[in-house]
């Protein structure tokens, strides 16, 4: 499982067996008719797919293009994360696992995991940095409502990276009966590939939706935000080899890539290992992973999916570092122009529109990865930036 020099599975000895078991099992499971039938039926009737591709008329006029929004915010649980957790819970069941663990930052992956555990009657434990427990508390309440046990993590700066480390430590103590549902295109092989495949339903739908709406199955631009990289991976998946399609990604600049308060890994990271993957990571000269910083819990990660490390290095994707104030402004703009309150993560993608120059007929598809209910306090507390 390599993306150029990036990827691989750098795990402690104790995890070898369960990681290799998964490496051997995942393709046959995903490609089986039984999996495909149950997965597609749940995406349709439980998640509510296909998600709409909505023509944003007022934003199109403002930015001089034809802007279509891929509405992953309208999925059950309010974000793209459930596309992935449905797939992984079916794998866990197939592999005879009874206990599910997951990390979460924005709480959307936590909610999506707790949701499918309730659906499949499985035990669920979520690890979440204490900082994120506070700033995304509505999602913590939802997780508990759904029957999950939420463990606040108090190591490091108590955000997503610390939650990942704690989940991996737990996994090391329960390698046989526990399935770790990883929430993004990160971690040891095969997780980046599993998550990208589960999220690829996003671009599979974009293709036929564009064909239906404009008589052409490809856009001029695809735009998405990147935390670990899963909604972006899903958005670009079926277009990666199509050179007609430009790919624009938004990572979290925080207070700026020239400050110590940033999460812009593709601007500030160097090659290293984090949570089992060789990728780009923000690290000190002696290899200590630096703390990330951003207003957005879901983008607050010092690493990046190995797939995106490779795509950025090869120049296939154009990556912008969007700062906190730019994201808040963009969140208010979409809210006031189209009546859609985006997740603060998705707002980073919206903020790239100001950085691009379009031709009037350019078809632009931007993935709204989640809804902003969990971020209303953050938006209102930062109104001055609007
Ligand atoms: C897996 C940890 C990331 C989380 N969320 C990330 C996230 C992201 C960034 O994650 P990726 O799509 O995996 O880059 C974008 N949009 C929304 C609405 C998100 O919630 C979470 O815990 O919910």
């Amino acid at each position: 499982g390599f993306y150029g020099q990036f990827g691989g599975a750098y795990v402690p000895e104790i995890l070898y067996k369960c990681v290799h078991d998964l490496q051997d099992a995942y393709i046959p499971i995903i490609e089986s008719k039984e999996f495909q039938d149950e997965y597609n039926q749940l995406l349709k009737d439980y998640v509510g797919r296909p998600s709409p591709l909505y023509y944003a008329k007022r934003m199109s006029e403002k930015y001089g293009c034809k802007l279509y929004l891929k509405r992953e915010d309208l999925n059950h649980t309010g974000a793209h994360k459930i596309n992935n957790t449905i797939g992984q819970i079916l794998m866990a069941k197939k592999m005879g696992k009874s206990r599910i663990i997951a990390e979460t930052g924005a709480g959307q992956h936590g909610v999506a995991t707790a949701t499918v555990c309730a659906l499949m009657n499985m035990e669920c434990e979520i690890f979440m940095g204490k900082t994120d427990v506070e700033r995304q508390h509505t999602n913590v309440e939802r997780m508990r409502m759904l029957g999950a046990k939420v463990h606040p993590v108090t190591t490091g700066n108590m955000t997503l990276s610390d939650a990942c480390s704690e989940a991996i430590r737990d996994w090391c103590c329960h390698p046989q009966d526990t399935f770790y549902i990883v929430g993004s295109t990160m971690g040891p092989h095969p997780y980046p590939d599993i998550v990208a495949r589960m999220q690829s339903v996003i671009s599979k739908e974009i293709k036929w939706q564009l064909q239906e709406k404009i008589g052409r199955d490809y856009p001029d631009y695809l735009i998405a935000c990147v935390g670990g990289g899963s909604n972006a991976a899903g958005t670009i998946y079926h277009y990666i080899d199509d050179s007609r399609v430009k790919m624009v990604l938004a990572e979290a600049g925080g207070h700026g890539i020239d400050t110590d308060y940033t999460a812009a890994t593709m601007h500030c990271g160097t090659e290293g290992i984090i949570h089992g993957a060789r990728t780009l990571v923000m690290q000190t000269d002696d290899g200590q992973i630096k703390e990330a910083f951003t207003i957005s819990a879901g983008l607050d990660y010092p690493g990046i999916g190995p797939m995106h490390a490779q795509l950025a290095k090869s120049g296939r994707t154009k990556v912008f570092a969007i700062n906190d104030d730019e994201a808040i402004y963009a969140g208010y703009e979409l809210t006031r122009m189209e009546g859609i309150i985006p997740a603060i993560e998705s707002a980073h993608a919206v903020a790239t529109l100001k950085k691009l120059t379009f031709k009037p007929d350019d078809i632009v598809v931007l993935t709204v990865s989640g809804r902003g209910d969990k971020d209303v306090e953050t938006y209102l507390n930062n109104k001055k930036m609007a």
Side-chain angles (χ1 to χ4, degrees), residues 27-182:
I27 298 278
I29 290 175
I30 292 175
E31 291 180 349
S32 71
K33 186 176 180 323
E34 180 196 7
F35 175 92
Q36 285 293 329
D37 289 350
E38 188 168 10
Y39 181 62
N40 290 321
Q41 179 267 325
L42 286 169
L43 286 187
K44 179 174 174 294
D45 297 336
Y46 187 67
V47 177
R49 303 205 70 90
S51 66
L53 186 66
Y54 163 71
Y55 177 64
K57 187 170 176 300
R58 293 189 62 203
M59 287 289 275
S60 297
E61 285 157 5
K62 175 165 187 180
Y63 287 100
C65 67
K66 304 254 186 299
L67 178 65
Y68 291 85
L69 303 178
K70 186 59 175 156
R71 303 292 307 278
E72 295 302 296
D73 58 308
L74 294 180
N75 296 333
H76 178 39
T77 70
H80 65 294
K81 295 293 179 184
I82 194 155
N83 301 331
N84 170 49
T85 61
I86 296 257
Q88 288 198 43
I89 196 94
L90 292 179
M91 276 179 217
K93 256 177 58 177
K94 187 78 183 154
M95 295 179 77
K97 305 290 181 178
S98 57
R99 177 174 177 268
I100 300 292
I101 60 170
E103 84 291 352
T104 197
Q108 291 300 139
H109 177 57
V111 167
T113 301
T115 296
V116 295
C117 287
L119 184 68
M120 301 290 178
N121 188 22
M122 290 171 86
E123 191 192 338
C124 180
E125 303 204 33
I126 307 288
F127 296 90
M128 186 176 198
K130 192 166 178 295
T131 304
D132 294 337
V133 166
E134 285 150 15
R135 62 181 169 175
Q136 309 278 229
H137 66 86
T138 54
N139 275 340
V140 178
E141 285 133 30
R142 284 208 284 168
M143 285 177 240
R144 289 184 169 138
M145 179 82 189
L146 286 154
K149 188 170 173 44
V150 179
H151 299 281
V153 175
T154 54
T155 49
N157 67 344
M158 304 188 260
T159 57
L160 179 54
S161 186
D162 312 295
C164 287
S165 301
E166 199 62 28
I168 291 171
R169 277 193 281 273
D170 177 281
W171 198 21
C172 289
C173 302
H174 309 272
Q176 280 319 305
D177 73 335
T178 295
F179 191 97
Y180 178 11
I181 295 188
V182 174

